[in-house]
Amino acid sequence: MSRQLQLTRYDSAMPETLEPDEWNLWDTWMRAQRLLVRELDRGLQRDHGISKAEFSVLVTLSRASGGEMRVGELVDSLEWEKSRVSHQLTRMENRGFVARTEGGPSGRRTRIGLTAQGRRLIQDAVRGHAGNIRRYFLDSLTPEQATTIRAWSEQLIDRIESPS
Amino acid sequence: MSRQLQLTRYDSAMPETLEPDEWNLWDTWMRAQRLLVRELDRGLQRDHGISKAEFSVLVTLSRASGGEMRVGELVDSLEWEKSRVSHQLTRMENRGFVARTEGGPSGRRTRIGLTAQGRRLIQDAVRGHAGNIRRYFLDSLTPEQATTIRAWSEQLIDRIESPS
DNA sequence: CCCTTGAAGTTGATGCATCAACTCTAGGAG
DNA sequence: CTCCTAGAGTTGATGCATCAACTTCAAGGG
C-alpha cells in the first residue's frame, strides 16, 4: 500500500467553491477517519474473526440483564434500522453466535440470546478491541486535543440532530 | 429520529479497560463521524440522485485531462481496490454515467470516460456537495479547532501508515 | 516462434447497509 | 365472536465493499 501525494482522492470534494486550505483539511480529516475505522475493523477480524457489526451486537447482548433482549430493544440500543438488525441476527444465528428463542407460553415475542460460543467470543473481543481503541485513538490524542475533539463532536452532533 | 441518552450504542466499546471518560470521548466522536457522513451521503442522494461512491468516481474522471482515464489510474487516484473500481464502473455504466471505450488500434487497453449525462451531473453535484461540506463540517469549526483537528489527523495518519 | 510471466482488469461470492413491502399477532371496537 | 388496525419482525431487492480466483494480453527469453 504505497502512500503518495495526490491531489484528488476518495471523498475529496475540492470543488471550486472550497479553498485549497479547506479541502485539504477536509481531505486530511476524512482520510484519518477511514484509516482509523479500517484499522479497528481489521483488528477485530484478524484477532477475533468478527466484524464490527457482529461486535456491536454481541457487546450489546452481553450487557443485557439475563443476556437476552428483544429485537426492538436491540434496535433502540444500537440505533440501527430494524431490518438491519434482523438481517444481522440471521447471519449471526447462522454462524452460531446468537439464538432466536420463542418467548415463554405467556410471553410470545421472539427473544435474542447469546450462545455459549458468542459469550466466550465477546469476552475476548471486548478486551482486544479496547486495546486497539486505546492504541489508535486515545493514545494519539494530547489532553488538549481530546478536549477540542470532544467539544467539536458535541457541537456537530447538536448541529446535525437539531433541525436548525 | 428520537435522540435519547443511552449507555450502550453502536461502536461503543466501553470495555472494562477503558475509563468512562475515555469511552465517552470515543463514542461521542464516532457518533459525530457517522452523523456527518450520513448527512453528506443523504445530501448527494437527495439533491443529485447519486451515492458518495458515484460522486468520487465522477469527480475524479471530470478532472482528468481529456475526461478519460484507465482503470488503473482510477485505482491510484481513488485509492480503492481495483475490483471495487471495476464493480463500481459496471454499475455506473449501467446507469449511463460512464462508458468503457476500447483504446485505439495501437493503444489496446480499456479507457473510461464520462458520458454527457455524467458530465452534466457532476458539475451540479460538485457545487452542492461543496456547500454541504461547508455547512456541516467547515462552518462547525473555529479556527483553533480546525488547527487542532488537522494536526491530530496528520498524526493519526502517520501513526497508522508507518509500521511503527 | 513458442512459452512463461506479470500486470491489468473482470468476475463471483459473501457480508454490510438501506428501502420498501410483506406477515403475524395482540388488542380493541363493533 | 369477528374484524380492524398498529406494532413487531421478517423478507427481498439493490448498492457498497472486500477477498480470492480467473482471464487476457504484452513483453522477453529460449
Side-chain angles (χ1 to χ4, degrees):
Chain A
M1 185 165 306
S2 69
R3 172 82 178 88
Q4 62 189 50
L5 186 65
Q6 285 172 159
L7 292 183
T8 57
R9 183 187 296 133
Y10 175 56
D11 279 333
S12 305
M14 200 176 75
E16 288 66 38
T17 53
L18 291 188
E19 299 300 322
D21 272 7
E22 293 176 323
W23 87 256
N24 201 318
L25 172 60
W26 166 251
D27 179 69
T28 301
W29 181 75
M30 281 306 294
R31 181 174 178 79
Q33 303 325 303
R34 275 179 289 127
L35 287 175
L36 175 54
V37 167
R38 194 191 61 179
E39 213 54 37
L40 291 173
D41 287 358
R42 288 186 177 173
L44 279 177
Q45 197 62 245
R46 170 173 26 84
D47 300 337
H48 308 286
I50 59 175
S51 67
K52 179 177 66 180
E54 288 171 325
F55 178 86
S56 298
V57 170
L58 290 176
V59 81
T60 302
L61 280 174
S62 74
R63 294 185 196 293
S65 64
E68 283 199 351
M69 297 177 80
R70 304 207 343 210
V71 175
E73 294 173 318
L74 272 171
V75 165
D76 290 342
S77 196
L78 293 164
E79 293 185 338
W80 289 2
E81 295 191 8
K82 62 183 180 177
S83 92
R84 178 177 173 188
V85 172
S86 185
H87 283 304
Q88 189 64 48
L89 289 174
T90 300
R91 285 190 294 268
M92 293 177 70
E93 199 172 21
N94 291 338
R95 292 195 68 184
F97 296 159
V98 303
R100 285 177 162 99
T101 63
E102 290 304 319
S106 60
R108 197 76 278 190
R109 286 251 158 271
T110 314
R111 301 190 72 82
I112 309 298
L114 287 175
T115 61
Q117 183 188 4
R119 196 173 295 279
R120 226 178 303 123
L121 216 168
I122 194 57
Q123 286 174 358
D124 290 343
V126 158
R127 283 176 175 69
H129 195 51
N132 283 336
I133 290 174
R134 182 178 300 289
R135 174 161 53 242
Y136 290 115
F137 180 70
L138 298 170
D139 285 354
S140 73
L141 288 166
T142 65
E144 299 75 33
Q145 286 176 332
T147 302
T148 299
I149 298 245
R150 165 185 271 290
W152 170 66
S153 295
E154 285 168 354
Q155 289 166 25
L156 189 57
I157 290 170
D158 285 350
R159 189 187 189 96
I160 292 180
E161 286 193 333
S162 63
S164 71
Chain B
M1 188 165 303
S2 69
R3 172 82 177 89
Q4 61 188 52
L5 185 67
Q6 285 174 157
L7 293 182
T8 58
R9 184 186 297 133
Y10 175 56
D11 279 333
S12 305
M14 199 175 78
E16 288 66 36
T17 53
L18 291 188
E19 300 299 321
D21 272 7
E22 293 176 323
W23 86 258
N24 202 318
L25 173 60
W26 166 250
D27 180 69
T28 302
W29 181 74
M30 282 305 294
R31 181 175 178 78
Q33 303 325 302
R34 274 180 289 128
L35 288 175
L36 174 54
V37 166
R38 194 191 61 180
E39 214 54 36
L40 291 173
D41 287 358
R42 287 186 177 172
L44 278 177
Q45 196 63 244
R46 171 174 26 83
D47 300 336
H48 308 284
I50 59 174
S51 67
K52 178 176 65 179
E54 288 170 327
F55 178 86
S56 298
V57 170
L58 290 176
V59 80
T60 302
L61 280 174
S62 73
R63 293 185 197 293
S65 63
E68 282 198 352
M69 297 177 81
R70 304 209 340 214
V71 175
E73 294 174 319
L74 273 170
V75 165
D76 290 343
S77 197
L78 293 163
E79 293 186 337
W80 289 2
E81 294 190 10
K82 62 184 179 177
S83 92
R84 178 177 172 190
V85 172
S86 184
H87 284 304
Q88 189 63 47
L89 289 174
T90 299
R91 286 189 295 268
M92 294 178 70
E93 199 172 20
N94 291 337
R95 292 194 69 183
F97 296 158
V98 301
R100 283 179 165 99
T101 64
E102 291 304 319
S106 62
R108 197 76 277 193
R109 284 253 160 270
T110 314
R111 300 190 73 81
I112 310 298
L114 287 175
T115 61
Q117 183 189 4
R119 196 175 295 278
R120 226 179 303 123
L121 216 168
I122 194 57
Q123 286 174 359
D124 289 344
V126 158
R127 281 174 177 71
H129 196 51
N132 283 336
I133 290 175
R134 183 179 298 290
R135 171 161 58 243
Y136 291 115
F137 180 69
L138 298 170
D139 286 354
S140 74
L141 288 165
T142 64
E144 298 75 32
Q145 286 176 333
T147 301
T148 299
I149 298 247
R150 164 185 272 291
W152 170 66
S153 295
E154 286 169 353
Q155 289 166 26
L156 190 56
I157 290 170
D158 285 350
R159 190 190 190 91
I160 292 180
E161 287 194 331
S162 63
S164 69

